[in-house]
């Protein structure tokens, strides 16, 4: 299982670009880690690497729940942090999104494993101090 260490936001964005290069055209990617671990930062790099938007155009979907990037859409960026019940998640229509030729990045998705496809990529992020992050990738 590939394990990476980054020492700045910029390095995490660069790692996201590298990860993007090995993703299949259609993928569900869980970004797993505490608040501030760098999930949204890594998403910026993945979105950039897929050529869908620049990092500063990518913002956290915590309140908006789903953002789309690219035209046609290449990346969906989802944040389930504020949702508590499975039926709230079901109402988002993720099943339909999973059918599309797109990469779906999901923060806090591990809280609803039964609503996710079994063949998903999981990326774990952990803060090891102010700027140090350990990032492990499984499934691709
Ligand atoms: P999350 O989505 O997991 O809550 P964010 O990506 O929104 O986290 O925030 C990560 C925060 O940590 C940002 O303020 C970022 O500047 C800071 N940071 C410091 N070092 C790193 C690093 N190596 N990788 C990613 N973010 C870092
Ligand atoms: Mg976030």
């Amino acid at each position: 299982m590939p394990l990476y260490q980054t020492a700045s936001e910029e390095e995490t964005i660069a790692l996201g670009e590298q990860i993007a290069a090995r993703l299949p055209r259609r993928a569900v990617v869980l970004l797993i880690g505490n608040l501030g671990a760098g999930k949204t930062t890594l998403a910026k790099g993945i979105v950039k690497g897929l050529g869908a938007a620049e990092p500063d155009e990518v913002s956290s979907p915590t309140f908006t729940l789903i953002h789309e990037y690219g035209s046609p859409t290449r990346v969906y960026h989802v944040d389930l942090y504020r949702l508590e019940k499975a039926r709230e998640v079901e109402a988002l229509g993720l099943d339909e999104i999973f059918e599309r030729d797109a990469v779906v990045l999901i923060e806090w998705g591990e809280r609803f494993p039964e609503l996710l496809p079994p063949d998903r990529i999981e990326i774990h992020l952990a803060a090891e101090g102010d700027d140090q992050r350990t990032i492990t990738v499984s499934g691709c």
Side-chain angles (χ1 to χ4, degrees):
M1 174 154 53
L3 185 152
Y4 305 91
Q5 303 218 299
T6 66
S8 67
E9 191 176 327
E10 292 72 26
E11 283 186 24
T12 296
I13 290 173
L15 176 63
E17 291 184 69
Q18 287 177 37
I19 291 170
R22 357 190 265 266
L23 289 176
R25 184 161 183 82
R26 184 187 293 199
V28 174
V29 181
L30 295 199
L31 302 172
I32 303 172
N34 290 332
L35 279 177
K39 302 180 295 297
T40 298
T41 304
L42 190 70
K44 287 172 187 261
I46 294 173
V47 169
K48 179 174 189 209
L50 292 170
E54 289 303 312
D56 59 6
E57 297 170 316
V58 176
S59 59
S60 175
T62 303
F63 292 93
T64 41
L65 305 180
I66 304 180
H67 290 168
E68 301 181 26
Y69 300 99
S71 165
T73 301
R74 269 299 280 132
V75 190
Y76 292 87
H77 183 195
V78 182
D79 189 336
L80 303 180
Y81 183 71
R82 287 168 48 82
L83 301 189
E84 287 170 10
K85 303 204 168 76
R87 64 175 163 73
E88 296 175 294
V89 179
E90 280 165 339
L92 292 177
L94 293 181
D95 280 348
E96 201 240 324
I97 288 175
F98 295 150
E99 302 286 308
R100 299 190 188 166
D101 266 341
V103 169
V104 187
L105 306 174
I106 310 182
E107 301 188 34
W108 301 101
E110 72 281 7
R111 294 167 54 230
F112 304 96
E114 69 285 1
L115 301 182
L116 303 171
D119 59 342
R120 55 197 187 237
I121 294 159
E122 297 195 350
I123 303 180
H124 287 257
L125 302 96
E128 320 279 356
D130 283 351
D131 295 330
Q132 207 75 26
R133 299 289 187 274
T134 300
I135 299 170
T136 53
V137 181
S138 65
C140 86

